[in-house]
Amino acid sequence: MTDAIDEMILEELRRNGRIPLTELSRKVGRSRTAIEARIKKLENTRRILGYTIEEPSEQVTDQMGSIILVAMEVRKHGDRLLKAFLAMPEIANCVWVTGEYDFALFVKPIPSADLLTLIEQVYTFEGVKRTETLMALKTAY
């Protein structure tokens, strides 16, 4: 079970996982030794599961990601299309949606030429009526 101090530590680590313990102890108002012990407890109780980094892809410079909306001709094609989408490594996530389209395919960041090839491939699947692609221009948060 965590208390308010643990929550403050977690919040600071979420902002900056590489924050020095001395700076973290100053922000939280506890000694460096106490902070180190609390972090170890948070790790041992699996409140902190690990530490990660995010790296930009060296190959991708011209795009952040995109969404391909897919409308089917008829619903009976849905399961087959899902299997086809699952086999495409460029697609990070696929969800059924309501409205004018049936699927939203969340595409990993890939170069524009590869995105064009992917869109053309999706459009040629039997049962696809139309597609629309939304491209990310800027990350808001």
Side-chain angles (χ1 to χ4, degrees):
M1 186 158 205
T2 59
D3 61 12
I5 300 297
D6 291 338
E7 293 301 326
M8 290 170 58
I9 292 169
L10 289 168
E11 185 59 35
E12 290 299 326
L13 288 173
R14 283 184 198 108
R15 280 192 206 112
N16 179 5
R18 293 179 50 101
I19 187 171
L21 289 177
T22 52
E23 185 178 341
L24 183 57
S25 66
R26 182 184 54 74
K27 287 186 172 200
V28 174
R30 297 290 189 265
S31 72
R32 183 190 183 284
T33 306
I35 295 299
E36 192 170 19
R38 282 178 176 264
I39 289 174
K40 184 59 79 182
K41 179 191 83 169
L42 290 166
E43 291 170 344
N44 289 339
T45 59
R46 300 189 50 80
R47 187 68 203 274
I48 295 176
L49 297 176
Y51 301 87
T52 63
I53 63 169
E54 291 183 34
E55 297 181 281
S57 171
E58 293 176 18
Q59 301 171 345
V60 178
T61 58
D62 62 344
Q63 189 176 335
M64 296 168 38
S66 54
I67 300 169
I68 301 173
L69 301 173
V70 180
M72 293 185 292
E73 292 172 351
V74 292
R75 277 292 223 213
K76 71 178 183 179
H77 296 291
D79 290 336
R80 189 175 32 73
L81 286 171
L82 278 174
K83 288 178 186 172
F85 299 150
L86 184 61
M88 303 174 89
E90 303 89 350
I91 298 176
N93 198 7
C94 170
V95 296
W96 287 91
V97 294
T98 61
E100 194 174 332
Y101 293 91
D102 299 293
F103 296 107
L105 308 177
F106 293 84
V107 180
K108 296 174 184 175
I110 58 177
S112 296
D114 293 344
L115 177 61
L116 179 58
T117 301
L118 180 67
I119 294 165
E120 289 171 346
Q121 183 180 8
V122 168
Y123 194 75
T124 63
F125 289 154
E126 183 184 350
V128 172
K129 183 179 180 180
R130 78 178 166 283
T131 66
E132 182 175 343
T133 303
L134 309 173
M135 296 180 65
L137 299 176
K138 181 179 176 182
T139 300
Y141 61 92

